[in-house]
């Protein structure tokens, strides 16, 4: 039953990706970032960097296209947003010039987890964190500049 759910979720991702150019068809956990003065970047996945490093630009939002996850963001002057779960989830804000300071992403598929790594202002790349853990910082006024995510099969 667990394997059927994993296969169903992956089939849903492949269906979503059918409208994506063939060069991106190998992405299994697709995400993109909205960056200060840049806007939405192209879709990446599986540990690729979304956002920028070395440019001093804030990450403002992250969008995921995956049916088996829940996510929320910690935003400047707002704090933690509510958990969201859908086939296309966006956390953070756009058009408000607010920095995304941390994210939390967790899998809803048994036997599969999602890991995250954050690039934080003045700190660089932080260690990878596991499913549902805080990725980034809170209470320090530091911006996320980039993030990476991985799907992990725990079976």
């Amino acid at each position: 039953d667990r394997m059927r759910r994993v296969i169903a979720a992956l089939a849903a991702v492949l269906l979503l990706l059918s409208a994506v150019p063939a060069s991106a068809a190998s992405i299994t956990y697709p995400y993109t970032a909205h960056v200060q003065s840049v806007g939405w970047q192209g879709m990446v996945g599986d540990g690729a960097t979304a956002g920028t490093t070395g440019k001093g630009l804030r990450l403002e939002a992250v969008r995921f296209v995956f049916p088996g996850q829940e996510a929320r963001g910690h935003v400047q002057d707002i704090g933690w947003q509510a958990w969201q779960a859908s086939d296309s989830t966006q956390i953070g804000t756009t058009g408000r010039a607010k920095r995304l300071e941390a994210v939390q992403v967790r899998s809803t598929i048994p036997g599969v987890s999602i890991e995250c790594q954050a690039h934080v202002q003045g700190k660089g790349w932080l260690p990878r964190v596991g499913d549902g853990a805080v990725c980034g910082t809170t209470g320090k006024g530091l911006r996320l500049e980039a993030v990476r995510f991985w799907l992990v099969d725990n079976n």
Side-chain angles (χ1 to χ4, degrees):
D1 190 41
R2 178 183 297 172
M3 187 54 80
R4 283 187 190 145
R5 281 185 255 157
V6 170
I7 290 170
L10 292 176
V13 168
L14 290 175
L15 185 61
L16 288 168
L17 290 174
S18 64
V20 175
S23 63
S26 63
I27 296 173
T28 57
Y29 187 65
Y31 50 94
T32 182
H34 188 276
V35 178
Q36 168 190 356
S37 302
V38 175
W40 286 107
Q41 297 180 310
M43 194 69 71
V44 297
D46 295 328
T49 300
T52 61
T53 59
K55 296 183 178 182
L57 299 175
R58 69 181 167 267
L59 205 62
E60 295 178 338
V62 177
R63 183 180 300 144
F64 306 92
V65 183
F66 187 72
Q69 52 88 53
E70 299 175 319
R72 68 180 184 160
H74 189 276
V75 179
Q76 169 188 358
D77 299 328
I78 294 173
W80 284 110
Q81 297 174 309
W83 284 98
Q84 297 182 44
S86 70
D87 289 355
S88 181
T89 301
Q90 179 177 313
I91 58 173
T93 62
T94 59
R96 297 179 63 187
K98 299 210 176 279
R99 69 181 170 266
L100 191 57
E101 298 176 339
V103 299
Q104 285 182 292
V105 181
R106 60 187 179 203
S107 172
T108 59
I109 303 170
V112 175
S113 60
I114 300 169
E115 293 185 356
C116 175
Q117 186 176 28
H119 189 279
V120 175
Q121 169 188 356
K123 296 186 175 290
W125 287 108
L126 301 182
R128 276 169 77 159
V129 297
D131 203 57
V134 174
C135 186
T137 62
T138 60
K140 298 182 179 180
L142 300 176
R143 68 181 171 266
L144 279 183
E145 296 178 338
V147 288
R148 298 173 177 154
F149 299 95
W150 294 266
L151 279 183
V152 178
D153 183 353
N154 297 316
N155 294 313

